[in-house]
Amino acid sequence: MRIALLSTFLIALNCFGQEPTVVFNDTVNEDNLIRINSYNAYASNRLNNAFMDKFIFGGTIDSELKDANRDRFKNRNLIGGEFEQSIESFTPSVNMFKNELFGLKVHFSDNHYMASHISKDLFNLAMYGNGDFVGDTMSLTYSTAHYMHYQKIGFGFYNKHNFSSITLNYLAGSKAIKAQMNESWIYTRPDVDTIDVYSSASMFMTDRMFPYWAFQGNGFSVDINYNFIFEGKVKNRQIINFKINNLGIMFWNKNTNKYFVNTDGAYSGIDVSDLLNQDTTVYKNIEWMDTLGVTEYTDVHVEVMPFELVVQKVPDHGIDQKWQAIFGFKTIMIPNYFPYLFGGVYFKAREDFSLSSRVSYGGFAGFRWGVNFNYWIKDKAYLALGSYDMIGLISKNFGFGRSLNFSFHFKI
């Protein structure tokens, strides 16, 4: 239980989901192209930045801050994020399948992923303890926490005219933890010295959470990217982008720790605060794990990757139209992700400069507003900088996450 609680909040340190704005420019690729992208976003639909910053950077969480965030809790209380640094190359001179239409694509990325759901009573237990719930039941049911860190090394082919591609990736798993509480509750009896606990829960975690490159798993995935290009009513080119990412599986090694909880009983002499603050280095030696019905063993663990589906209208900088609409949606096939919807406008100010703005709803948060800037250096390089949560960048009290994205593309 302690690991599940801490994972929900502390893992956000490494995990900053939106979908980056793609700007289409060329329809013919004749030069070698390198793309460097940095995509970072984390968000919550309940916990504001003033609260989350205390966990990330340290500080005192006073009663006023705890109360203000607790009052926002409802049935769905989410924290999640994605953090990806990638580099990929497109080589038109290597004709895949001996077909001049297809070039070679090579991809490498370092990825962090996090998703969690927190019941209101779990938040109360972590922040206030069970003192205010004497004679009452605290429900922890369906609280979850999931974190994964992995690298992708991919090889594939792409269409030189529309940049549609298929990439087959090797996955190197660095570390992971996943905890899920099914039907679970705690009842504190009026005499205070006894609690009744019912819990059905499970968790797995890799043997080591450090160093950064831990290499504790192997897997594979497929990424599919297709740009559907057609002519609109005003004779301008229109582009709809369809993507499937991370369609694959991970095999964590035989040293993966697995925990199962199946308990239904009354317990006395257990101080809940001591339980939550127990030193993790002595887990295997503490008797309360047996007392609470915790079963532990190590074995290989197979995990389906949290794959993504994206459909979006992509702005086209290669046409004369100054104003273009942008819209789309993204979903991650996990229980805690609400479909992310966005819409906005793209403005081509000059041949070498454009910007876009959009509003969005969903993912791990509510409504957000973002801005993206794009700059071309002649016909050789492209720079982009933006955030899909401008309010989160500038405000601690009104912001519920942060987002910052950077791209640098150049021809060689």
Side-chain angles (χ1 to χ4, degrees):
M1 182 172 63
R2 177 179 181 273
I3 294 177
L5 288 169
L6 293 180
S7 300
T8 299
F9 299 108
L10 298 181
I11 291 175
L13 175 65
N14 292 326
C15 298
F16 282 20
Q18 298 82 232
E19 176 61 21
T21 296
V22 178
V23 179
F24 199 87
N25 191 40
D26 296 325
T27 56
V28 178
N29 173 230
E30 297 178 343
D31 303 297
N32 295 331
L33 178 66
I34 303 295
R35 290 180 173 178
I36 299 172
N37 298 301
S38 177
Y39 169 61
N40 313 283
Y42 74 87
S44 172
N45 65 343
R46 302 290 179 242
L47 303 175
N48 65 8
N49 289 339
F51 183 93
M52 295 175 69
D53 284 353
K54 300 296 185 179
F55 279 94
I56 298 174
F57 305 112
T60 301
I61 301 177
D62 57 30
S63 298
E64 182 180 358
L65 187 57
K66 289 191 291 186
D67 294 346
N69 282 269
R70 179 187 60 180
D71 291 343
R72 285 190 290 267
F73 270 58
K74 297 180 181 179
N75 292 330
R76 292 175 58 86
N77 312 297
L78 307 176
I79 304 175
E82 298 170 88
F83 184 94
E84 178 179 336
Q85 318 306 315
S86 68
I87 181 170
E88 51 190 6
S89 68
F90 298 82
T91 308
S93 59
V94 179
N95 296 322
M96 302 295 289
F97 314 114
K98 298 181 180 180
N99 188 327
E100 293 185 357
L101 182 62
F102 300 123
L104 172 67
K105 178 184 177 181
V106 179
H107 172 96
F108 173 80
S109 64
D110 180 57
N111 307 268
H112 296 263
Y113 162 82
M114 177 208 173
S116 61
H117 173 264
I118 315 164
S119 74
K120 184 175 182 178
D121 284 347
L122 179 60
F123 180 84
N124 287 328
L125 183 63
M127 293 294 104
Y128 302 92
N130 62 334
D132 293 335
F133 293 85
V134 175
D136 199 358
T137 298
M138 306 182 75
S139 175
L140 315 179
T141 301
Y142 300 135
S143 296
T144 64
H146 186 195
Y147 168 66
M148 180 186 295
H149 176 208
Y150 61 96
Q151 292 77 46
K152 294 170 64 171
I153 302 172
F155 296 88
F157 66 94
Y158 74 100
N159 186 307
K160 300 177 188 178
H161 294 297
N162 62 16
F163 275 95
S164 298
S165 63
I166 297 178
T167 310
L168 179 63
N169 306 290
Y170 162 72
L171 304 178
S174 287
K175 58 187 76 74
I177 179 171
K178 185 175 184 179
Q180 177 171 328
M181 305 185 78
N182 299 319
E183 185 177 355
S184 301
W185 48 263
I186 294 176
Y187 173 73
T188 304
R189 296 186 184 182
D191 55 16
V192 182
D193 63 356
T194 302
I195 60 174
D196 297 292
V197 178
Y198 178 86
S199 180
S200 174
S202 62
M203 186 184 77
F204 85 86
M205 64 181 299
T206 50
D207 184 46
R208 293 173 289 127
M209 298 304 287
F210 296 98
Y212 189 84
W213 310 98
F215 299 113
Q216 300 180 91
N218 298 280
F220 65 87
S221 70
V222 176
D223 295 334
I224 301 172
N225 181 55
Y226 183 75
N227 291 312
F228 178 61
I229 301 177
F230 62 98
E231 193 173 87
K233 292 182 179 180
V234 293
K235 305 301 181 181
N236 280 327
R237 192 170 59 202
Q238 304 292 317
I239 303 167
I240 301 296
N241 174 248
F242 172 84
K243 289 197 292 188
I244 294 178
N245 291 329
N246 290 332
L247 183 60
I249 196 167
M250 179 73 77
F251 300 88
W252 298 105
N253 65 28
K254 63 181 180 181
N255 295 321
T256 302
N257 299 299
K258 296 187 176 184
Y259 303 88
F260 294 91
V261 179
N262 189 4
T263 184
D264 182 7
Y267 303 93
S268 59
I270 297 178
D271 189 312
V272 173
S273 61
D274 290 343
L275 186 68
L276 295 175
N277 295 322
Q278 181 68 47
D279 185 355
T280 57
T281 61
V282 297
Y283 268 166
K284 296 182 179 180
N285 297 320
I286 51 182
E287 297 180 356
W288 59 261
M289 291 186 68
D290 291 333
T291 303
L292 294 178
V294 180
T295 302
E296 175 192 6
Y297 66 95
T298 59
D299 197 2
V300 172
H301 184 79
V302 181
E303 182 177 12
V304 176
M305 296 294 292
F307 74 91
E308 305 173 348
L309 171 64
V310 180
V311 179
Q312 58 183 335
K313 182 182 179 296
V314 175
D316 186 354
H317 194 73
I319 62 177
D320 294 331
Q321 187 175 345
K322 286 187 174 293
W323 293 93
Q324 299 178 53
I326 55 175
F327 53 85
F329 84 93
K330 169 182 175 177
T331 186
I332 303 177
M333 300 303 180
I334 58 171
N336 295 329
Y337 191 87
F338 190 85
Y340 173 81
L341 308 172
F342 68 89
V345 294
Y346 175 87
F347 176 62
K348 180 180 177 179
R350 302 194 308 253
E351 287 299 323
D352 62 349
F353 177 74
S354 68
L355 68 158
S356 62
S357 178
R358 71 185 189 183
V359 292
S360 62
Y361 179 84
F364 299 109
F367 285 101
R368 280 168 289 178
W369 165 64
V371 177
N372 199 75
F373 300 92
N374 310 283
Y375 181 70
W376 284 263
I377 304 173
K378 295 183 178 180
D379 190 37
K380 293 297 183 182
Y382 162 76
L383 292 165
L385 178 65
S387 171
Y388 301 122
D389 191 354
M390 293 296 295
I391 297 175
L393 279 182
I394 61 179
S395 174
K396 289 187 176 182
N397 292 322
F398 297 101
F400 288 77
R402 291 188 176 90
S403 164
L404 186 62
N405 309 293
F406 169 78
S407 295
F408 177 44
H409 304 175
F410 59 94
K411 298 176 181 179
I412 56 177

